[in-house]
Amino acid sequence: MQVSSPLPGLGDLPQAARRALGTLLADLGGAAEARECDELAAAGWIRQGGALDPSRALLLATDIGGTKAQTALCDLDGTVLAETKAPTSEAGGLALIDQILSQRDLLLTETGSGPSRIAAAGIGLPASIHPATGRLHRGPNIDDLETHDLVHLFGDALRVPVAVENDVNMAALGESWRGAPPRGDCSVFIAIGTGIGMGTVVRGELLRGASGAAGEVAALPIGADPFDRATFRNGALESAISSAALLEDYRARGGTAEGTLKDLFALGPDPAFAAVIDRLATLVAQAILSICSILDPGRVVLGGSVGSRPELLALLEEKLALCMPEPPECRISTLGNRAGVVGAARAARLRLAQTLS
């Protein structure tokens, strides 16, 4: 089922004006004809001079992770107007729909807006989404969604055009749109925390791959034996550098401090933890070397609870200088934990543009 936006006035635009609005929303350039500009201005979509009015509509942006569900209402430029977070529902994948609806209603109440102000929605999930079928390709935490076309499923529930993408893809899209300006045609976003994932943006568009699994760097044959069946589910690299694996490594090295990785980073000098982070930097450097040999990104952006640590970045730059003649620029995400929702807003805006073309 193709869901059209309920936004008042959008369906009344003449076809030529709709196409012109779609071009504006997709940032494709080109000037609208004078008549189309007049029609879009009369409907409140553009300001004097022809620029899009970002306050004309709202975008619903949701970033679902393994532990938290973060939803924001954004304007058309990706500015977060209201935001809420909660632990991800433990009831299973289909329960995420109710959680998103609940968070949406909370934000609408907070901003004094009605549901009809939302023009489109973007949803990031901790899974690969098949670009042709809209179904989960790899989603270990949301098993009961595997048989559904998620674009239709969420679209039917929200009653607006919906984009559904991998959560790290969303963060990559957000960072390239409203974070650090891209360098060159290609940039990658690597999230390191509970696990590891990557999103790639090429000339402003996501690189998804044949089954939506482009960027599944967790499966790189680094840090563990890729032929060991114990690594099949989460991948060899992730089995070596997940939060759980790093804590296990710390104990094996004689570390005695208690707590999470965040707690260990806050400690003073600890030889066991320093050795763990040094090994982590070595493995991530090997991963980036592999990524660069295929994609040649102009910039590598790091995010996630571990990836955003300055200590890791400093070590990583040292390691890359030892294994690459010209390492890419590496930097920590400027959007931080909002990268996913800003990317979801971008995906929602592009989805809305598609419906108008």
PDB file of all heavy atoms in Angstrom, residues 1 21 23 33 45 72 81 90 97 118 149 153 174 176 185 197 240 246 256 287 306 335-336:
ATOM      1  N   MET A   1       0.849  -1.197   0.000  1.00  0.00           N
ATOM      2  CA  MET A   1       0.000   0.000   0.000  1.00  0.00           C
ATOM      3  C   MET A   1       0.875   1.234   0.000  1.00  0.00           C
ATOM      4  O   MET A   1       1.780   1.375   0.808  1.00  0.00           O
ATOM      5  CB  MET A   1      -0.888  -0.003   1.248  1.00  0.00           C
ATOM      6  CG  MET A   1      -1.695   1.266   1.432  1.00  0.00           C
ATOM      7  SD  MET A   1      -2.725   1.159   2.922  1.00  0.00           S
ATOM      8  CE  MET A   1      -3.301   2.840   3.013  1.00  0.00           C
ATOM      9  N   LEU A  21       8.395  20.972  -5.865  1.00  0.00           N
ATOM     10  CA  LEU A  21       8.595  20.830  -4.421  1.00  0.00           C
ATOM     11  C   LEU A  21       9.439  19.595  -4.127  1.00  0.00           C
ATOM     12  O   LEU A  21      10.336  19.627  -3.269  1.00  0.00           O
ATOM     13  CB  LEU A  21       7.241  20.726  -3.716  1.00  0.00           C
ATOM     14  CG  LEU A  21       7.282  20.496  -2.206  1.00  0.00           C
ATOM     15  CD1 LEU A  21       8.070  21.599  -1.502  1.00  0.00           C
ATOM     16  CD2 LEU A  21       5.864  20.399  -1.639  1.00  0.00           C
ATOM     17  N   THR A  23      11.719  18.341  -6.014  1.00  0.00           N
ATOM     18  CA  THR A  23      13.096  18.688  -6.365  1.00  0.00           C
ATOM     19  C   THR A  23      13.749  19.495  -5.252  1.00  0.00           C
ATOM     20  O   THR A  23      14.920  19.277  -4.911  1.00  0.00           O
ATOM     21  CB  THR A  23      13.121  19.490  -7.683  1.00  0.00           C
ATOM     22  OG1 THR A  23      12.612  18.670  -8.734  1.00  0.00           O
ATOM     23  CG2 THR A  23      14.532  19.930  -8.040  1.00  0.00           C
ATOM     24  N   GLU A  33       9.714  27.172 -12.247  1.00  0.00           N
ATOM     25  CA  GLU A  33       9.132  28.220 -13.073  1.00  0.00           C
ATOM     26  C   GLU A  33       8.409  29.222 -12.183  1.00  0.00           C
ATOM     27  O   GLU A  33       8.024  28.919 -11.051  1.00  0.00           O
ATOM     28  CB  GLU A  33       8.153  27.603 -14.071  1.00  0.00           C
ATOM     29  CG  GLU A  33       8.780  26.621 -15.051  1.00  0.00           C
ATOM     30  CD  GLU A  33       9.723  27.296 -16.027  1.00  0.00           C
ATOM     31  OE1 GLU A  33       9.540  28.495 -16.282  1.00  0.00           O
ATOM     32  OE2 GLU A  33      10.649  26.623 -16.521  1.00  0.00           O
ATOM     33  N   TRP A  45       5.037  26.795   1.092  1.00  0.00           N
ATOM     34  CA  TRP A  45       6.188  25.897   1.037  1.00  0.00           C
ATOM     35  C   TRP A  45       7.505  26.628   0.817  1.00  0.00           C
ATOM     36  O   TRP A  45       8.555  26.128   1.220  1.00  0.00           O
ATOM     37  CB  TRP A  45       5.996  24.855  -0.061  1.00  0.00           C
ATOM     38  CG  TRP A  45       5.032  23.786   0.326  1.00  0.00           C
ATOM     39  CD1 TRP A  45       3.717  23.696  -0.033  1.00  0.00           C
ATOM     40  CD2 TRP A  45       5.281  22.685   1.195  1.00  0.00           C
ATOM     41  NE1 TRP A  45       3.137  22.601   0.542  1.00  0.00           N
ATOM     42  CE2 TRP A  45       4.073  21.948   1.303  1.00  0.00           C
ATOM     43  CE3 TRP A  45       6.396  22.227   1.886  1.00  0.00           C
ATOM     44  CZ2 TRP A  45       3.955  20.802   2.071  1.00  0.00           C
ATOM     45  CZ3 TRP A  45       6.289  21.076   2.655  1.00  0.00           C
ATOM     46  CH2 TRP A  45       5.077  20.384   2.741  1.00  0.00           C
ATOM     47  N   ALA A  72      12.198  12.084  17.622  1.00  0.00           N
ATOM     48  CA  ALA A  72      12.228  13.538  17.581  1.00  0.00           C
ATOM     49  C   ALA A  72      11.240  14.041  16.542  1.00  0.00           C
ATOM     50  O   ALA A  72      10.948  13.366  15.548  1.00  0.00           O
ATOM     51  CB  ALA A  72      13.632  14.041  17.239  1.00  0.00           C
ATOM     52  N   LEU A  81      13.058  19.855  17.114  1.00  0.00           N
ATOM     53  CA  LEU A  81      12.152  20.754  17.832  1.00  0.00           C
ATOM     54  C   LEU A  81      11.724  20.180  19.175  1.00  0.00           C
ATOM     55  O   LEU A  81      11.462  20.920  20.120  1.00  0.00           O
ATOM     56  CB  LEU A  81      10.919  21.034  16.976  1.00  0.00           C
ATOM     57  CG  LEU A  81      11.195  21.569  15.563  1.00  0.00           C
ATOM     58  CD1 LEU A  81       9.890  21.713  14.790  1.00  0.00           C
ATOM     59  CD2 LEU A  81      11.928  22.908  15.625  1.00  0.00           C
ATOM     60  N   GLU A  90      10.572  -4.210  25.492  1.00  0.00           N
ATOM     61  CA  GLU A  90      11.011  -5.597  25.635  1.00  0.00           C
ATOM     62  C   GLU A  90       9.986  -6.583  25.090  1.00  0.00           C
ATOM     63  O   GLU A  90      10.230  -7.797  25.069  1.00  0.00           O
ATOM     64  CB  GLU A  90      11.285  -5.914  27.113  1.00  0.00           C
ATOM     65  CG  GLU A  90      12.421  -5.085  27.715  1.00  0.00           C
ATOM     66  CD  GLU A  90      12.662  -5.419  29.177  1.00  0.00           C
ATOM     67  OE1 GLU A  90      11.890  -6.249  29.715  1.00  0.00           O
ATOM     68  OE2 GLU A  90      13.598  -4.878  29.775  1.00  0.00           O
ATOM     69  N   ILE A  97       5.901  -0.485  17.155  1.00  0.00           N
ATOM     70  CA  ILE A  97       4.932   0.410  16.518  1.00  0.00           C
ATOM     71  C   ILE A  97       4.200   1.219  17.575  1.00  0.00           C
ATOM     72  O   ILE A  97       4.093   2.447  17.481  1.00  0.00           O
ATOM     73  CB  ILE A  97       3.936  -0.391  15.661  1.00  0.00           C
ATOM     74  CG1 ILE A  97       4.675  -1.066  14.500  1.00  0.00           C
ATOM     75  CG2 ILE A  97       2.824   0.513  15.142  1.00  0.00           C
ATOM     76  CD1 ILE A  97       3.803  -1.984  13.687  1.00  0.00           C
ATOM     77  N   ILE A 118       2.606  16.360  10.415  1.00  0.00           N
ATOM     78  CA  ILE A 118       3.718  15.465  10.061  1.00  0.00           C
ATOM     79  C   ILE A 118       3.580  15.052   8.599  1.00  0.00           C
ATOM     80  O   ILE A 118       2.571  14.477   8.189  1.00  0.00           O
ATOM     81  CB  ILE A 118       3.738  14.224  10.971  1.00  0.00           C
ATOM     82  CG1 ILE A 118       3.944  14.643  12.432  1.00  0.00           C
ATOM     83  CG2 ILE A 118       4.835  13.263  10.536  1.00  0.00           C
ATOM     84  CD1 ILE A 118       3.838  13.498  13.420  1.00  0.00           C
ATOM     85  N   ASP A 149       6.969  -6.349   5.289  1.00  0.00           N
ATOM     86  CA  ASP A 149       7.499  -5.217   4.546  1.00  0.00           C
ATOM     87  C   ASP A 149       7.402  -4.024   5.488  1.00  0.00           C
ATOM     88  O   ASP A 149       6.315  -3.498   5.745  1.00  0.00           O
ATOM     89  CB  ASP A 149       6.662  -4.985   3.281  1.00  0.00           C
ATOM     90  CG  ASP A 149       7.155  -3.806   2.447  1.00  0.00           C
ATOM     91  OD1 ASP A 149       7.697  -2.839   3.046  1.00  0.00           O
ATOM     92  OD2 ASP A 149       6.995  -3.833   1.223  1.00  0.00           O
ATOM     93  N   LEU A 153       4.385  -1.621   6.715  1.00  0.00           N
ATOM     94  CA  LEU A 153       3.936  -1.844   8.089  1.00  0.00           C
ATOM     95  C   LEU A 153       3.918  -0.539   8.883  1.00  0.00           C
ATOM     96  O   LEU A 153       2.915  -0.171   9.490  1.00  0.00           O
ATOM     97  CB  LEU A 153       4.845  -2.863   8.770  1.00  0.00           C
ATOM     98  CG  LEU A 153       4.490  -3.239  10.209  1.00  0.00           C
ATOM     99  CD1 LEU A 153       3.208  -4.055  10.238  1.00  0.00           C
ATOM    100  CD2 LEU A 153       5.635  -4.015  10.864  1.00  0.00           C
ATOM    101  N   GLY A 174      22.699  11.343   8.574  1.00  0.00           N
ATOM    102  CA  GLY A 174      22.569  12.558   9.385  1.00  0.00           C
ATOM    103  C   GLY A 174      23.867  13.323   9.474  1.00  0.00           C
ATOM    104  O   GLY A 174      23.900  14.547   9.356  1.00  0.00           O
ATOM    105  N   SER A 176      26.407  13.313   7.390  1.00  0.00           N
ATOM    106  CA  SER A 176      26.786  13.919   6.116  1.00  0.00           C
ATOM    107  C   SER A 176      25.894  15.104   5.764  1.00  0.00           C
ATOM    108  O   SER A 176      26.299  15.973   4.992  1.00  0.00           O
ATOM    109  CB  SER A 176      26.727  12.868   4.990  1.00  0.00           C
ATOM    110  OG  SER A 176      25.391  12.493   4.719  1.00  0.00           O
ATOM    111  N   ASP A 185      33.623  12.398  -2.569  1.00  0.00           N
ATOM    112  CA  ASP A 185      32.357  11.770  -2.939  1.00  0.00           C
ATOM    113  C   ASP A 185      31.853  10.776  -1.901  1.00  0.00           C
ATOM    114  O   ASP A 185      30.674  10.450  -1.885  1.00  0.00           O
ATOM    115  CB  ASP A 185      32.513  11.027  -4.271  1.00  0.00           C
ATOM    116  CG  ASP A 185      32.668  11.979  -5.452  1.00  0.00           C
ATOM    117  OD1 ASP A 185      32.292  13.158  -5.302  1.00  0.00           O
ATOM    118  OD2 ASP A 185      33.168  11.540  -6.497  1.00  0.00           O
ATOM    119  N   GLY A 197      29.104  -1.181  13.607  1.00  0.00           N
ATOM    120  CA  GLY A 197      28.380  -1.099  12.347  1.00  0.00           C
ATOM    121  C   GLY A 197      28.897   0.074  11.545  1.00  0.00           C
ATOM    122  O   GLY A 197      29.594   0.956  12.068  1.00  0.00           O
ATOM    123  N   ALA A 240      35.077  -9.805  18.649  1.00  0.00           N
ATOM    124  CA  ALA A 240      36.329  -9.426  19.309  1.00  0.00           C
ATOM    125  C   ALA A 240      36.253  -8.059  19.978  1.00  0.00           C
ATOM    126  O   ALA A 240      36.993  -7.803  20.938  1.00  0.00           O
ATOM    127  CB  ALA A 240      37.481  -9.438  18.302  1.00  0.00           C
ATOM    128  N   LEU A 246      35.163  -6.761  25.116  1.00  0.00           N
ATOM    129  CA  LEU A 246      36.195  -5.895  25.692  1.00  0.00           C
ATOM    130  C   LEU A 246      36.268  -6.064  27.205  1.00  0.00           C
ATOM    131  O   LEU A 246      37.367  -6.089  27.791  1.00  0.00           O
ATOM    132  CB  LEU A 246      35.920  -4.437  25.328  1.00  0.00           C
ATOM    133  CG  LEU A 246      36.034  -4.083  23.835  1.00  0.00           C
ATOM    134  CD1 LEU A 246      35.656  -2.630  23.609  1.00  0.00           C
ATOM    135  CD2 LEU A 246      37.435  -4.351  23.310  1.00  0.00           C
ATOM    136  N   THR A 256      40.674  -5.542  37.553  1.00  0.00           N
ATOM    137  CA  THR A 256      39.839  -5.840  38.726  1.00  0.00           C
ATOM    138  C   THR A 256      38.733  -4.817  38.959  1.00  0.00           C
ATOM    139  O   THR A 256      37.857  -5.061  39.793  1.00  0.00           O
ATOM    140  CB  THR A 256      40.712  -5.893  39.994  1.00  0.00           C
ATOM    141  OG1 THR A 256      41.409  -4.639  40.141  1.00  0.00           O
ATOM    142  CG2 THR A 256      41.723  -7.035  39.889  1.00  0.00           C
ATOM    143  N   ALA A 287      40.333  -2.678  10.363  1.00  0.00           N
ATOM    144  CA  ALA A 287      39.035  -2.575   9.695  1.00  0.00           C
ATOM    145  C   ALA A 287      39.008  -1.373   8.757  1.00  0.00           C
ATOM    146  O   ALA A 287      38.531  -1.473   7.613  1.00  0.00           O
ATOM    147  CB  ALA A 287      37.924  -2.473  10.734  1.00  0.00           C
ATOM    148  N   VAL A 306      31.626   3.920  22.512  1.00  0.00           N
ATOM    149  CA  VAL A 306      33.069   3.669  22.523  1.00  0.00           C
ATOM    150  C   VAL A 306      33.753   4.437  21.396  1.00  0.00           C
ATOM    151  O   VAL A 306      34.810   5.039  21.584  1.00  0.00           O
ATOM    152  CB  VAL A 306      33.365   2.160  22.409  1.00  0.00           C
ATOM    153  CG1 VAL A 306      34.869   1.910  22.319  1.00  0.00           C
ATOM    154  CG2 VAL A 306      32.780   1.412  23.608  1.00  0.00           C
ATOM    155  N   LEU A 335      27.376  15.353  15.665  1.00  0.00           N
ATOM    156  CA  LEU A 335      25.979  15.285  16.092  1.00  0.00           C
ATOM    157  C   LEU A 335      25.785  14.418  17.332  1.00  0.00           C
ATOM    158  O   LEU A 335      24.736  14.475  17.966  1.00  0.00           O
ATOM    159  CB  LEU A 335      25.106  14.746  14.961  1.00  0.00           C
ATOM    160  CG  LEU A 335      25.019  15.604  13.704  1.00  0.00           C
ATOM    161  CD1 LEU A 335      24.146  14.929  12.657  1.00  0.00           C
ATOM    162  CD2 LEU A 335      24.488  16.993  14.012  1.00  0.00           C
ATOM    163  N   GLY A 336      26.786  13.604  17.671  1.00  0.00           N
ATOM    164  CA  GLY A 336      26.684  12.770  18.856  1.00  0.00           C
ATOM    165  C   GLY A 336      25.502  11.824  18.784  1.00  0.00           C
ATOM    166  O   GLY A 336      25.226  11.218  17.744  1.00  0.00           O
TER     167      GLY A 336
END
